[in-house]
Amino acid sequence: NNMASDSKRRKVDHPSYDHPHAVMPLGNCNDLSGQALSLGAFYCLPEVVVFHILELLGQQSLFSLAACLPQVSRALYAYANDENLWRDITLQRFKDGFSFHGSWKTTCLYQLLHSNPIKLKRWMGCKPTKWSSPTLYSDVLYMKWRNGTLENNPAWIETTTVDRRSDLPLQEFINDYEASSKPVVITDVVPTWPAFKKWSKQWLEERCGDKKLKAGLVNMTLKQYLDYCSTNRDERPLYLFEKDFFRKFPDCDKDYQKPEYFDDLFALLGEDRPDHRFLIAGPKRSGSSFHVDPNGTSAWNAVIFGKKKWILYPPHVIPPGVQASMDGKNFETPTSLLDWFHNYYDEVKAPGSQAVECVTGPGDIMFVPSGWWHCVLNIEDSLAITHNFVSERNVAKVIRMFREPSNCEYIGKCLGDQTADVPLWVAMGGNVLDEEGNSIAEGNDFCLCSRIKSDLMNKFEKNLGEARPGISSRINKTDSQVKKKLWKSVTTVSEEFSFGF
């Protein structure tokens, strides 16, 4: 799929040259001869290869391409100024934080040259050129820019098919929603929290602004992150997902209470429990693509401020645009979250669709049942608290999933990370090596991930049997019934023939 032969060309009906480097989608081009001349030998390469070549250049060489138009073609100049290219360089090089300066190229310049103000001033003096005719036809460059600048489609947020409830009795929640595996929005709990009344951006910056939190692959102070949120135009904005917020700011722990609806049996593990609660923050257009919460857990998400669009599919329905790996154990959404909405949202409303959707706003709690697929798009700058939890309704499923072999055992190589916590590193990956650099998992050896998961479940089942014996006995009875049903299904081929040992 080189630039000359794209079978799925985009087209815009009302061309404009608002893109800072006059890039247009391929579908708007009738003659690529000028582009071939401008790109030279690069013309025959897929765009992803062009970006890889540019990434291999040192920052100074790339700065030269991005600043010195007379020495490079207009097309190569547009590639060298791509914001996503500079974003990747900045995030890889400055993982311990940075101040965002309106664009990723400018941010990278400031980080590299802040100690040399004369050179910084010279580079900053190179202003982008504005053209009245297209410089380059590229779906990759154009769509990333468009997704970072367009307003959300109002049609995405006008439909709600998830129940909204207040004054919901506990037993009714259990019967009608949790036990029935049905999402619901609860509207009258969060407004009673102190956090709802005082956790504004200004309050958080004053109280928590100087400590670093996890935003994507980098650590940023909350003040740096809020500054970034206010000025970025990213297609995929950095998403703050901080597991240690309440350890770093223990006073904030008093500003909310776990709702009574969400009984969490994993609390029986005490300090050994997997990470389960997070502060989530993100600007408009940020969010999470389709996923299922790990290890059979359910989740609740409480919005302090902002608005979130939710799309959810039941466990047995793989959402459109989501691709399964060959072994069926891993899934990915190959497009960005905004691209998914542009390309697949109409299928949510198609006849026979089993998707449900809604918008949650300030004071709302979304309940996501175990196993449900969901994606979330922040319609506004948003802040939320989220918990994963294990209740009596899903505990047997969680235990079974923790007892299953980890991904490491399927591929013969440990995917864990000694410094992280179950279940995140089991799901996210990263190598575990011994002091000599060898993988801890050799062949069929029991790897670190599996050992920790097994030890964790042994402790959990022991504590559950002591603290909640009724639940423990019901799990054992249910587990026995599941095993008998499974054995019958795999040993019975037909009514005329069965096999056994």
Side-chain angles (χ1 to χ4, degrees):
N1 293 328
N2 60 33
M3 286 174 271
S5 58
D6 188 335
S7 61
K8 295 183 179 180
R9 294 182 177 182
R10 311 268 188 166
K11 183 177 180 179
V12 290
D13 295 329
H14 304 288
S16 69
Y17 305 114
D18 292 336
H19 186 286
H21 306 298
V23 174
M24 293 293 288
L26 274 169
N28 286 82
C29 181
N30 297 318
D31 181 7
L32 285 170
S33 58
Q35 185 148 313
L37 181 64
S38 184
L39 284 169
F42 283 121
Y43 180 67
C44 66
L45 300 175
E47 290 192 281
V48 65
V49 176
V50 175
F51 281 118
H52 282 319
I53 292 172
L54 293 176
E55 287 171 357
L56 292 173
L57 297 176
Q59 275 86 25
Q60 184 154 344
S61 297
L62 191 58
F63 277 134
S64 297
L65 287 177
C68 301
L69 183 60
Q71 283 75 40
V72 299
S73 70
R74 285 173 59 176
L76 192 56
Y77 177 83
Y79 277 114
N81 275 282
D82 176 50
E83 273 289 275
N84 290 278
L85 178 64
W86 288 103
R87 170 189 161 117
D88 290 345
I89 292 171
T90 304
L91 296 182
Q92 289 168 13
R93 180 142 186 184
F94 306 108
K95 292 181 181 292
D96 205 33
F98 51 83
S99 295
F100 189 72
H101 291 273
S103 78
W104 286 104
K105 188 177 81 170
T106 303
T107 299
C108 194
L109 273 169
Y110 269 101
Q111 290 298 121
L112 290 170
L113 301 176
H114 66 275
S115 60
N116 189 337
I118 295 176
K119 194 171 185 179
L120 177 62
K121 184 177 180 180
R122 178 165 63 86
W123 282 112
M124 292 301 296
C126 300
K127 300 297 183 183
T129 302
K130 188 81 171 178
W131 289 287
S132 59
S133 62
T135 292
L136 179 69
Y137 293 96
S138 165
D139 288 344
V140 173
L141 292 179
Y142 183 83
M143 297 306 294
K144 288 180 179 179
W145 168 79
R146 187 200 70 167
N147 286 341
T149 55
L150 282 183
E151 295 298 317
N152 292 326
N153 186 338
W156 297 347
I157 59 177
E158 64 186 13
T159 302
T160 293
T161 55
V162 176
D163 290 351
R164 294 179 60 85
R165 298 293 304 272
S166 60
D167 297 319
L168 179 62
L170 174 59
Q171 195 58 48
E172 189 174 337
F173 166 78
I174 292 172
N175 295 340
D176 293 353
Y177 298 104
E178 191 180 19
S180 302
S181 187
K182 182 180 178 182
V184 64
V185 176
I186 299 171
T187 63
D188 58 347
V189 173
V190 177
T192 66
W193 295 350
F196 185 69
K197 299 176 177 64
K198 65 182 183 181
W199 282 20
S200 64
K201 292 181 185 178
Q202 181 179 351
W203 186 90
L204 288 167
E205 185 173 331
E206 291 173 355
R207 297 296 184 93
C208 315
D210 294 333
K211 285 192 178 181
K212 291 189 175 180
L213 304 173
K214 194 74 172 177
L217 298 175
V218 298
N219 297 305
M220 304 174 73
T221 66
L222 187 57
K223 183 181 187 311
Q224 289 174 332
Y225 182 72
L226 292 174
D227 288 344
Y228 160 79
C229 290
S230 66
T231 57
N232 89 92
R233 302 300 294 174
D234 288 350
E235 178 194 28
R236 304 179 188 222
L238 295 177
Y239 204 22
L240 190 148
F241 206 90
E242 179 55 65
K243 65 177 183 177
D244 293 322
F245 180 80
F246 295 102
R247 296 189 192 116
K248 295 176 179 179
F249 305 101
D251 286 348
C252 292
D253 202 6
K254 306 170 186 175
D255 289 341
Y256 82 103
Q257 300 82 36
K258 179 177 69 67
E260 66 168 340
Y261 304 106
F262 311 120
D263 181 30
D264 192 359
L265 297 176
F266 259 17
L268 296 171
L269 285 169
E271 294 298 319
D272 292 330
R273 71 167 302 158
D275 289 326
H276 69 291
R277 62 174 181 166
F278 307 86
L279 183 81
I280 302 179
K284 182 179 179 178
R285 301 183 309 280
S286 64
S288 56
S289 57
F290 272 108
H291 64 284
V292 175
D293 286 330
N295 297 314
T297 57
S298 300
W300 57 269
N301 181 288
V303 181
I304 306 300
F305 61 75
K307 291 183 178 180
K308 296 173 175 287
K309 173 67 181 186
W310 294 76
I311 309 286
L312 304 98
Y313 282 86
H316 63 283
V317 180
I318 297 178
V322 175
Q323 297 180 355
S325 61
M326 292 294 290
D327 61 7
K329 294 189 175 298
N330 295 296
F331 299 84
E332 65 175 7
T333 306
T335 61
S336 71
L337 185 56
L338 284 165
D339 253 349
W340 188 92
F341 272 87
H342 284 298
N343 295 329
Y344 295 104
Y345 179 71
D346 287 347
E347 296 189 34
V348 172
K349 296 178 175 293
S353 171
Q354 297 186 55
V356 296
E357 58 180 317
C358 68
V359 172
T360 55
D364 288 342
I365 293 178
M366 165 62 79
F367 165 64
V368 181
S370 170
W372 275 68
W373 292 92
H374 52 287
C375 76
V376 188
L377 175 65
N378 287 322
I379 301 168
E380 302 173 354
D381 293 0
S382 300
L383 181 80
I385 298 168
T386 190
H387 280 220
N388 290 89
F389 70 98
V390 181
S391 74
E392 183 176 349
R393 267 62 60 189
N394 65 334
V395 63
K397 178 180 178 181
V398 170
I399 291 174
R400 285 197 300 272
M401 294 189 72
F402 263 91
R403 291 294 190 195
E404 289 179 355
S406 68
N407 288 340
C408 316
E409 293 178 67
Y410 289 107
I411 65 173
K413 180 181 179 182
C414 190
L415 298 174
D417 180 343
Q418 288 172 306
T419 64
D421 301 296
V422 179
L424 291 182
W425 47 244
V426 176
M428 300 303 293
N431 290 328
V432 174
L433 305 177
D434 61 21
E435 293 180 358
E436 297 179 356
N438 299 313
S439 173
I440 289 178
E442 295 289 346
N444 295 321
D445 288 350
F446 208 42
C447 75
L448 181 65
C449 301
S450 297
R451 289 202 306 271
I452 293 178
K453 287 174 66 178
S454 179
D455 291 345
L456 193 69
M457 281 301 98
N458 288 338
K459 179 176 180 179
F460 175 66
E461 290 186 272
K462 177 178 179 293
N463 292 354
L464 183 65
E466 295 173 352
R468 310 280 283 271
I471 295 177
S472 184
S473 62
R474 285 195 293 275
I475 292 172
N476 292 332
K477 182 178 179 180
T478 301
D479 221 24
S480 177
Q481 292 171 345
V482 168
K483 289 176 181 177
K484 288 179 180 178
K485 185 177 180 181
L486 177 62
W487 177 248
K488 183 177 180 181
S489 70
V490 300
T491 58
T492 303
V493 178
S494 67
E495 292 182 1
E496 293 80 21
F497 176 77
S498 66
F499 66 88
F501 296 97

